[in-house]
Amino acid sequence: MQINANRDTQVIISGAGPVGLLTALILAQNQISCLVLEAHSTLTHDLRAGTFHPPTLEMLDRVGVTQAMLDIGIRVPKWQSCDLDFGLVAEWDLGLLAQDTTYPFRLHLEQHRLTPLLLERLSPYPHVEVLFDHALTSFVQNEEGVTVEAQSPNGAQKFNCQWLVGADGGRSQVRKSADIEFSGYTWPERYSVISTTYDFAELNYRENAYISDPEQWVAVFKMPDVTESGLWRMTLPVSTEVTDDTALAGPYAQHAIHRVTGAAAEVVYPIVHQSIYNVHQRVAAHLRKGRVLLAGDAAHVNNPLGGFGLNSGIHDAFNLADKLSEVLHGQADDSLMDLYHRQRHTVNVEYVQELSVKNKKNLEEKDPELRSQRRRELQEICADPDRARAYLLNSSMINSIKRAEAIQ
Ligand SMILES: Cc1cc2nc3c(=O)[nH]c(=O)nc-3n(C[C@H](O)[C@H](O)[C@H](O)COP(=O)(O)OP(=O)(O)OC[C@H]3O[C@@H](n4cnc5c(N)ncnc54)[C@H](O)[C@@H]3O)c2cc1C
């Protein structure tokens, strides 16, 4: 066992995903030293988060990342609520938020394009180190600090720090080692993600559309790609009777696209990527235990409808890192980290969990009467600029930030 006890790191972060790297960047800019431990040998290249909301872009601007994201992402000033039979139900104009945010649009950009930007911005800071191939396996804490054990190609290693941040995803080892309950549930169906170069704009879909259907709803997103027409990503539920192998096979993807386009069966669409995910609604009972803090998916997971998962993880990172910097600079006592828990836990339950479940239920509603009632409701809200703005303040997460700030 190699002991790195002489390293004077104030904060160790487990996980070099977007939340872990961002937490490190904010701490670094606040003159706090940190060490990021990442289990994999490189940054992960997965097609998960792809939608960034206005308050997230405002926050990322503070650390010098937003402009680079705008340069490569796709701005989505309007998004649609649709119905597979009925067609367009409502078109939401984020321009109504022009008074509320500097960025009145959604930005489409995969998270694997964000993490290299974050890593690059960490490199000038001598007080930050990122160690790949280092998987946190356990830790012990006392009143003075935390000792972390990690598995590396050179065997087990120990590192000391004052605070440990678990940003190691939904299966967080930090959360498990801290014995923090992750209460909630897992949906029976899985979600399929299918990417195609077929241009859904040909069917008058905006860059983002949620298409309800009692049998199989679909969410479509245009993502940046080498070609102008972009890469279109579809997310849809896979019922429990369908095996993973079937859902990952070409005919399943073709059928899913045909259901939306209505094209003749012999039309074959180009498929670039297919994957399948389990989907959960869970929130950690505590985001702080002594000198250990949780952020991002380690702290909460939700279905992706509304694009809240990573956005809320980014909001955690700013809240956590700013408060922890104050504590480490001696400007506040450590009870400030309890406020981090109260603010971020509350808004995750009240906004992220509630809205993502509501979005899912609306898209999959089977009762024809409730479906048409919901369509009428959306049309009425959308037609009234005041009500539409109120709706967008919620769906764009602006209200969740205000609610967190109001909690003391
Ligand atoms: C299909 C799908 C679509 C989504 N779309 C959106 C969207 O549009 N908008 C949105 O906001 N969110 C979306 N999400 C959610 C989003 O992907 C997650 O919320 C986000 O990845 C969380 O980031 P994170 O850094 O907390 O965790 P992760 O991205 O999971 O990163 C965790 C990191 O920790 C590392 N790690 C794990 N264990 C250890 C260990 N023991 N030691 C060291 N390192 C470890 C992992 O290798 C990984 O690099 C989507 C999710 C899915 C499944």
Side-chain angles (χ1 to χ4, degrees), residues 144-190:
E144 309 297 313
V146 188
T147 300
V148 166
E149 192 167 320
Q151 195 58 41
S152 78
N154 299 325
Q157 302 212 20
K158 281 192 176 179
F159 303 90
N160 293 327
C161 60
Q162 295 176 41
W163 290 83
L164 170 64
V165 177
D168 44 0
R171 295 180 185 158
S172 170
Q173 187 57 43
V174 173
R175 190 188 64 237
K176 289 176 189 160
S177 299
D179 201 17
I180 297 174
E181 194 189 341
F182 203 33
S183 51
Y185 54 91
T186 298
W187 295 103
E189 71 271 35
R190 293 136 298 150

Side-chain angles (χ1 to χ4, degrees), residues 36-315:
V36 183
L37 302 173
E38 167 56 46
H40 286 135
S41 52
T42 57
L43 294 176
T44 50
H45 185 100
D46 52 15
L47 298 183
R48 289 192 284 158
T51 304
F52 292 88
H53 290 297
T56 310
L57 296 171
E58 284 177 26
M59 290 180 190
L60 289 169
D61 200 17
R62 202 191 94 190
V63 290
V65 179
T66 300
Q67 190 53 53
M69 294 172 71
L70 294 176
D71 289 345
I72 52 175
I74 295 178
R75 292 172 199 220
V76 183
K78 291 181 180 174
W79 57 275
Q80 299 168 323
S81 298
C82 303
D83 182 282
L84 199 58
D85 297 332
F86 188 84
L88 179 66
V89 176
E91 186 159 276
W92 304 99
D93 181 359
L94 285 147
L96 290 170
L97 300 181
Q99 311 291 317
D100 304 285
T101 174
T102 327
Y103 302 103
F105 48 84
R106 290 178 168 196
L107 186 76
H108 282 185
L109 184 75
E110 291 100 342
Q111 70 186 64
H112 69 80
R113 294 181 195 250
L114 170 63
T115 43
L117 295 176
L118 295 170
L119 189 63
E120 189 185 298
R121 278 158 183 74
L122 279 172
S123 61
Y125 294 98
H127 51 287
V128 179
E129 192 176 4
V130 182
L131 293 177
F132 288 95
D133 274 328
H134 281 66
L136 178 143
T137 48
S138 63
F139 68 83
V140 286
Q141 63 166 322
N142 59 30
E143 284 189 4
E144 309 297 313
V146 188
T147 300
V148 166
E149 192 167 320
Q151 195 58 41
S152 78
N154 299 325
Q157 302 212 20
K158 281 192 176 179
F159 303 90
N160 293 327
C161 60
Q162 295 176 41
W163 290 83
L164 170 64
V165 177
D168 44 0
R171 295 180 185 158
S172 170
Q173 187 57 43
V174 173
R175 190 188 64 237
K176 289 176 189 160
S177 299
D179 201 17
I180 297 174
E181 194 189 341
F182 203 33
S183 51
Y185 54 91
T186 298
W187 295 103
E189 71 271 35
R190 293 136 298 150
Y191 285 8
S192 159
V193 176
I194 298 167
S195 298
T196 172
T197 48
Y198 169 71
D199 188 357
F200 282 87
E202 285 178 12
L203 300 171
N204 296 323
Y205 284 113
R206 290 270 178 191
E207 294 86 349
N208 182 198
Y210 294 95
I211 310 167
S212 64
D213 183 62
E215 260 178 62
Q216 192 178 45
W217 53 262
V218 185
V220 296
F221 308 84
K222 181 179 177 180
M223 289 294 160
D225 192 31
V226 282
T227 63
E228 179 98 349
S229 59
L231 192 65
W232 288 77
R233 187 208 284 193
M234 303 167 71
T235 302
L236 46 121
V238 176
S239 76
T240 47
E241 296 89 60
V242 177
T243 65
D244 280 8
D245 285 348
T246 303
L248 289 168
Y252 191 86
Q254 293 299 332
H255 179 67
I257 304 178
H258 276 99
R259 288 190 79 242
V260 178
T261 62
E266 55 273 17
V267 177
V268 178
Y269 295 100
I271 307 295
V272 179
H273 161 268
Q274 269 181 276
S275 53
I276 191 160
Y277 293 90
N278 287 314
V279 189
H280 320 270
Q281 306 285 158
R282 294 181 188 274
V283 186
H286 303 281
L287 307 195
R288 175 192 180 185
K289 190 161 182 181
R291 292 179 164 274
V292 177
L293 303 160
L294 300 177
D297 276 17
H300 41 72
V301 286
N302 54 274
N303 80 65
L305 294 167
F308 301 134
L310 177 55
N311 281 270
S312 60
I314 289 174
H315 304 168

